[in-house]
Amino acid sequence: QVQLVESGGGLVQAGGSLRLSCAASGPTFSTLTMGWFRQAPGKEREFVAAISRLGGITDYADSVKGRFTISRDNAKNTLFLQMNSLSPADTAVYYCAARSGLSASRTQKDFNYWGQGTQVTVSS
């Protein structure tokens, strides 16, 4: 069983930055492909970014490409999401997710484990 705990959310002004972290329990973090998803008020949860087990392959939603960076530290069992040039459209609850598959995925149903989410609010 893998437990995921996100942190780093908060309130930031448009144009600002935040760095989200996701701490994973268990000794198998390096065998998991990881992802970030978000859910804005009144909207469905959507894919943000994903990263392969060793971090060599990343994937981003078009809406965040060039502004967000996903990374991981397997020695510390931690996933990160660096978010720059934030806009009010990025306001959402951000979720960390993990899957046991070999390849990174954008599909929510492929992910076996989910965190509780962290709120990101961007003011204009």
Side-chain angles (χ1 to χ4, degrees):
Q1 186 75 9
V2 175
Q3 291 187 326
L4 304 173
V5 179
E6 302 96 334
S7 62
L11 174 64
V12 63
Q13 289 187 333
S17 298
L18 280 176
R19 189 192 197 201
L20 304 184
S21 298
C22 173
S25 65
T28 61
F29 183 71
S30 62
T31 69
L32 302 170
T33 57
M34 303 295 295
W36 287 100
F37 293 80
R38 68 185 181 185
Q39 186 168 20
K43 296 186 177 181
E44 294 186 351
R45 189 160 57 185
E46 64 177 3
F47 168 77
V48 175
I51 188 167
S52 59
R53 293 179 295 174
L54 299 182
I57 298 173
T58 57
D59 185 25
Y60 297 93
D62 288 345
S63 59
V64 306
K65 197 172 296 182
R67 300 187 299 121
F68 291 11
T69 302
I70 188 171
S71 62
R72 64 190 297 164
D73 184 340
N74 286 349
K76 296 183 178 180
N77 284 13
T78 305
L79 176 73
F80 302 101
L81 184 69
Q82 177 67 43
M83 306 186 295
N84 298 329
S85 302
L86 286 162
S87 75
D90 296 313
T91 294
V93 176
Y94 283 72
Y95 298 90
C96 167
R99 66 185 295 263
S100 303
L102 293 177
S103 59
S105 173
R106 294 185 169 209
T107 306
Q108 295 183 49
K109 65 179 179 63
D110 289 342
F111 287 82
N112 310 100
Y113 308 101
W114 292 83
Q116 82 289 348
T118 186
Q119 176 70 49
V120 171
T121 302
V122 184
S123 63
S124 57

